[in-house]
Amino acid sequence: MSIFTGSAVAIVTPMYENGDINLEKLDEILEWHIQEGTDAIVITGTTGESPTLDVPEHMEVIKRCVETVNGRIPVIAGTGSNSTRSAIEMSVEAESYGADALLLVTPYYNKATQSGLKRHYTEIAESVNIPIIMYNVPSRTGTNIMPETAAYLVKNTKNIVGIKEASGNISQVAKVKQLCGDAIELYSGNDDQVIPLEALGGIGVISVLANVAPKFTHDMATALLQGEVEKAAKMQLQCLPLCDALFCEVNPIPVKTAMNLMGMEVGPLRGPLYEMDAPHVELLKKELAAFGLL
């Protein structure tokens, strides 16, 4: 049984103006997502500003999310690190809170060889019992999970079951699916490639777009899975301008700005991420309005 199908939101971490985490606002947004049909929550991922959360904050946010969602939809905890030991510690703690699964980004900055990635992921997998989704985003980490490495891991560990593919390389994604077959749950990590990845056997998206348009993202991600090919393609093309605007600066600067423009009051970003440049704000306003969100 899959961890989820359809749309998981890579949810932002709301903050007060002083930069402290706003857990009450997180509760509010989680309830909204459940009402809007979001299929799963990914908490403390890149979009949740995990690099600037200290470990106690990181774990507090995961715990609060699990408690608030209370089993209504899956909660996938981002517990990746460029330290295998730290990733294990956070993963074990997230499992103890009741997280349904883990999202583990590749080691960043210090990086790893392909054999190192096999050991890194295997050691984490052996420390927990819940399912694991690998997160491949080489543009941010400098490390690429090669298809052969992904195939090795899903076939040689008991609980590495999925991959969030954000390499942008459709040929690589096809190779992953060809080598792994039904042993892997394939999720798009790019909102502008949801339908192409599903056409290759993917079962959904871990989405930034869903922060501002959760029902649309759910409907798009499930349309192709239900055989509605023309509807799925139309929706994918429809959202491309908004996706481009949401990534005109480094994520999550635009999406947090968008949510504030929509009146959701998710607060500021933590440095080194700061306010959007004025021309990009105007672009974002334009595309949000065109999408009916302003």
Side-chain angles (χ1 to χ4, degrees):
M1 183 176 175
S2 303
I3 298 169
F4 77 94
T5 59
S7 170
V9 62
I11 201 164
V12 303
T13 299
M15 296 179 184
Y16 294 107
E17 287 304 315
N18 67 358
D20 291 344
I21 295 170
N22 186 342
L23 293 173
E24 290 74 22
K25 178 61 67 171
L26 177 63
D27 291 343
E28 180 184 319
I29 295 170
L30 289 168
E31 294 296 342
W32 178 62
H33 274 287
I34 292 169
Q35 293 167 14
E36 290 289 300
T38 294
D39 298 289
I41 305 293
V42 172
I43 191 78
T44 60
T46 307
T47 310
E49 298 180 78
S50 57
T52 50
L53 302 181
D54 63 34
V55 173
E57 288 176 324
H58 195 123
M59 304 317 301
E60 180 184 32
V61 171
I62 292 172
K63 188 172 188 288
R64 183 63 167 252
C65 180
V66 171
E67 291 172 348
T68 300
V69 173
N70 194 27
R72 288 175 287 175
I73 57 177
V75 172
I76 303 162
T79 53
S81 173
N82 59 347
S83 162
T84 305
R85 178 181 293 185
S86 295
I88 288 172
E89 291 171 352
M90 290 192 293
S91 297
V92 169
E93 190 167 345
E95 181 180 25
S96 75
Y97 295 155
D100 297 284
L102 305 171
L103 180 70
L104 296 171
V105 71
T106 54
Y108 39 86
Y109 188 70
N110 52 0
K111 306 196 288 187
T113 63
Q114 294 301 304
S115 60
L117 288 175
K118 291 175 184 177
R119 290 186 60 175
H120 173 78
Y121 279 111
T122 299
E123 289 177 19
I124 301 169
E126 288 175 346
S127 72
V128 295
N129 296 301
I130 55 177
I132 289 169
I133 301 171
M134 300 173 286
Y135 180 15
N136 192 37
V137 58
S139 65
R140 295 192 81 123
T141 66
T143 303
N144 185 27
I145 303 174
M146 298 303 293
E148 295 79 9
T149 301
Y152 172 88
L153 286 165
V154 297
K155 292 177 181 180
N156 289 278
T157 62
K158 68 182 186 299
N159 54 340
I160 297 179
V161 300
I163 189 166
K164 176 186 176 183
E165 246 298 340
S167 68
N169 185 338
I170 295 295
S171 296
Q172 175 169 303
V173 174
K175 187 70 172 178
V176 169
K177 189 62 180 174
Q178 186 242 326
L179 291 176
C180 298
D182 292 338
I184 201 161
E185 298 171 15
L186 175 62
Y187 298 103
S188 176
N190 294 327
D191 287 307
D192 60 353
Q193 294 182 337
V194 180
I195 303 309
L197 263 72
E198 288 189 349
L200 291 169
I203 57 174
V205 60
I206 296 175
S207 172
V208 174
L209 175 65
N211 280 284
V212 297
K215 185 178 186 304
F216 177 94
T217 311
H218 163 82
D219 290 348
M220 175 177 68
T222 56
L224 189 64
L225 301 178
Q226 296 170 351
E228 299 178 274
V229 178
E230 290 185 12
K231 176 183 176 182
K234 181 179 179 181
M235 294 182 78
Q236 180 73 90
L237 297 176
Q238 179 186 349
C239 72
L240 289 181
L242 180 55
C243 291
D244 289 344
L246 288 171
F247 286 89
C248 67
E249 291 188 13
V250 66
N251 180 51
I253 296 173
V255 72
K256 237 180 173 183
T257 304
M259 295 173 77
N260 286 329
L261 289 169
M262 293 167 62
M264 299 179 74
E265 299 179 345
V266 295
L269 300 124
R270 281 189 178 175
L273 305 185
Y274 299 101
E275 296 84 0
M276 285 184 78
D277 292 340
H280 290 155
V281 174
E282 292 309 309
L283 171 66
L284 189 58
K285 286 180 180 177
K286 174 187 171 186
E287 297 304 340
L288 288 168
F291 214 76
L293 297 173
L294 282 186

